[in-house]
Amino acid sequence: MSLGELKRPVTDFATDWDHTDPAWVHDPYPIWEELRERCPVAHTDRYAGAWFPTTHEMVAQVANDTEHFTSRLVVITNNKYPPGSDAPIGTAPPITSDPPFHQFARRLILPAFAPGPINALEDQVRALCTKHLDALADTREFDASARFAQFIPPGVISTMLGFPEGDEDRFRDFVHLVLDLVDLPIEERAPLFVPMAEYFTEQIEDHVANPRDDLTSYLLNLEFNGEKLSIDHVRGTMVLVLIAHRRGHLALSPAPGGLGAPGRRARVAAGRR
């Protein structure tokens, strides 16, 4: 199937929804609200077939029914069963892990995100923010999302993982591949992951040879049932941490999910998340 066929316009989101459709990307909330009234569980034949429950109650029911549903894939693409996605671990633990492994995988990384380790990054984060604000010193008006916010999360994650300074542009490319280019045919999308896999393998090998006090070395030293985590597990969790920075960017973005989300502007204006 060609990309043109995959990108055909949606005429009815109830029977042919597409989360990459321009209308959905620009503002999905009216679409979801209309579906809740007309078709609470929408379906599409795109992406090898998928369902879309539209209410909190249904999403919670699916999330808690681990007997019939799995978390092993959390990004909807044209490849439902990529290599390495087998349950209960999945490709990016713990978010792709099923019980009971999910609980173990989550507990393993929690100490790295405790207040102590995170607070220790404050000076570096402040320096990062100052650097990007200084670059805008002579700019009277600018898009805060595009000119400032998008640079902060990848810079922080790079510091946490102990990756080379200056690789933030590469990180944004990786995130774009994982979360945005989901509608590419498998044969086109799969080769694009090779540079990302090679980059993470290079960083892991460097940390094995030169351990330091960062999240990558922490993951490499973790043990489960008396054995160190597999390299695939470590790489998957590193990718998850990197991809998760997208959420931090959206928090300041006018796009849906950021300030465009219902009620978000008022909460931000009032000093609340």
Side-chain angles (χ1 to χ4, degrees):
M1 183 176 292
S2 70
L3 182 57
E5 291 174 315
L6 289 170
K7 293 297 292 183
R8 68 185 186 278
V10 173
T11 57
D12 187 349
F13 283 100
T15 58
D16 184 40
W17 62 266
D18 183 352
H19 57 312
T20 69
D21 184 85
W24 184 299
V25 173
H26 175 68
D27 188 2
Y29 302 108
I31 298 172
W32 298 351
E33 191 62 34
E34 193 266 342
L35 286 175
R36 290 187 187 103
E37 296 294 327
R38 182 167 65 92
C39 182
V41 181
H43 181 264
T44 184
D45 288 328
R46 302 175 193 240
Y47 308 102
W51 299 90
F52 179 66
T54 61
T55 69
H56 176 272
E57 292 76 15
M58 286 188 286
V59 171
Q61 183 177 354
V62 169
N64 289 299
D65 186 358
T66 57
E67 180 180 352
H68 298 98
F69 298 95
T70 178
S71 296
R72 65 179 182 171
L73 288 176
V74 294
V75 179
I76 299 174
T77 72
N78 289 304
N79 189 0
K80 278 191 171 182
Y81 308 108
S85 64
D86 295 342
I89 299 177
T91 57
I95 198 171
T96 59
S97 303
D98 290 331
F101 188 81
H102 173 270
Q103 184 178 26
F104 300 130
R106 183 172 179 272
R107 285 179 177 175
L108 286 172
I109 65 172
L110 282 179
F113 295 91
I118 297 303
N119 289 340
L121 297 171
E122 180 176 353
D123 290 343
Q124 293 165 287
V125 174
R126 286 183 177 276
L128 176 69
C129 293
T130 299
K131 179 183 77 171
H132 287 287
L133 287 174
D134 286 346
L136 297 167
D138 297 326
T139 306
R140 183 176 178 82
E141 295 182 1
F142 59 89
D143 183 329
S145 176
R147 300 288 300 278
F148 176 73
Q150 70 161 322
F151 299 106
I152 306 308
V156 174
I157 298 301
S158 173
T159 299
M160 291 183 66
L161 289 170
F163 285 2
E165 224 178 301
D167 280 357
E168 290 90 344
D169 287 341
R170 185 178 298 190
F171 299 160
R172 286 192 291 275
D173 289 341
F174 292 160
V175 174
H176 178 59
L177 168 61
V178 174
L179 297 183
D180 297 331
L181 300 183
V182 296
D183 51 352
L184 287 179
I186 298 172
E187 62 273 14
E188 294 182 26
R189 189 168 184 262
L192 299 179
F193 279 86
V194 174
M196 184 171 77
E198 292 176 343
Y199 178 83
F200 276 91
T201 297
E202 179 183 338
Q203 299 307 317
I204 289 173
E205 291 175 346
D206 180 57
H207 277 75
V208 170
N210 306 285
R212 48 259 207 196
D213 185 18
D214 56 33
L215 180 56
T216 299
S217 289
Y218 173 82
L219 292 171
L220 288 168
N221 288 322
L222 285 176
E223 293 187 358
F224 177 66
N225 287 340
E227 296 183 1
K228 288 191 175 182
L229 300 182
S230 70
I231 295 300
D232 286 341
H233 185 145
V234 171
R235 185 189 296 107
T237 299
M238 292 166 66
V239 171
L240 169 61
V241 171
L242 175 61
I243 299 303
H245 92 247
R246 176 72 163 262
R247 187 64 185 88
H249 173 207
L250 287 177
L252 289 177
S253 173
L259 293 181
R264 174 59 65 84
R265 289 181 183 274
R267 293 197 297 274
V268 171
R272 304 192 303 273
R273 295 290 291 176

